[in-house]
Amino acid sequence: MQSLYEYIRQYANVTQEEFERIAKLLETVECGKKHILTQKGQVEKYLYIINRGLVRKFFYKNKEEVITQIAKEKDLVCSSVSFLSQKPSEYVVETLEPCTLFALSYENLQKMYSWGHHMNRLGRLITLDWLLQKEIWEHERLRHEPRDRFIRFMNENSELVQRVQQKYLASYLNMKPETFSRYKHLLRG
Amino acid sequence: MNRLGRLITLDWLLQKEIWEHERLRHEPRDRFIRFMNENSELVQRVQQKYLASYLNMKPETFSRYKHLLRG
């Protein structure tokens, strides 16, 4: 829970007492790899904060899986549109490694917001950061050709490269696995 | 005001996620048809080259698809 306290404190000054109040609303989830947290068609019940492990989010384009997020420690992950709108999910959320997650239900999030402006401020800052990451990633994906996208991503995410199957990284980078393999020589030497 | 800001930011994020899904989910041809059907007003007001860029396709591709709307 200490890591969660640090995570929240990046965004707002929350006292130990307030944090304990928040912590009581969280459920700790332990699960193995390839565990489906949210299935397509289900309404997303939880927002997850990853304490340990990796989670991917994807949708099906015909039969192909298209990955839009690979989340690691201290990242937030959920089928966000479904969670926020409480409508059935277009996405699947699945663990890639054994995970420890802190899960905040939609009801408990609303409860937190009812505590007052301080919690709304925390929510606003976290949502804003999420939006910024999304804008930056969109720009990255549209701005760079596949070859440059590959080099930039691999240099900035060397840890993920060790932990995630290549076919998943390729999908996240919006390229074919064969293209991904072909680019690998760019990293040597 | 924090609540207002939070809700506006949230809606912005949602629109962004929905548009990302739209762009990744559909082939250019379907993206074109869906967009043109849902944004007929923009189509009247915005130059084609700008619409093509927004839809992540070449202006020539955009022109080529226009026959799909007739009839």
Side-chain angles (χ1 to χ4, degrees), chain A residues 2-15:
Chain A
Q2 190 56 33
S3 63
L4 182 64
Y5 189 40
E6 283 161 24
Y7 170 80
I8 290 174
R9 299 250 305 188
Q10 296 176 92
Y11 294 99
N13 270 323
V14 172
T15 63

Side-chain angles (χ1 to χ4, degrees), chain A residues 110-169:
Chain A
Q110 304 314 312
K111 191 184 281 181
M112 266 176 65
Y113 286 144
S114 75
W115 295 346
H117 75 273
H118 202 50
M119 286 299 127
N120 276 284
R121 178 162 187 274
L122 177 64
R124 172 170 67 78
L125 293 173
I126 292 176
T127 311
L128 189 61
D129 193 45
W130 196 351
L131 176 64
L132 280 178
Q133 296 305 322
K134 194 109 210 132
E135 291 259 350
I136 291 166
W137 178 239
E138 178 191 50
H139 185 249
E140 186 73 23
R141 186 151 50 187
L142 292 170
R143 170 77 186 79
H144 301 285
E145 297 302 326
R147 188 178 177 281
D148 292 334
R149 214 151 64 218
F150 174 86
I151 295 174
R152 291 169 62 91
F153 180 83
M154 298 300 260
N155 284 332
E156 284 165 27
N157 299 278
S158 53
E159 198 200 326
L160 279 189
V161 176
Q162 304 297 323
R163 293 169 69 184
V164 181
Q165 283 188 54
Q166 285 190 19
K167 61 176 181 179
Y168 293 151
L169 294 174

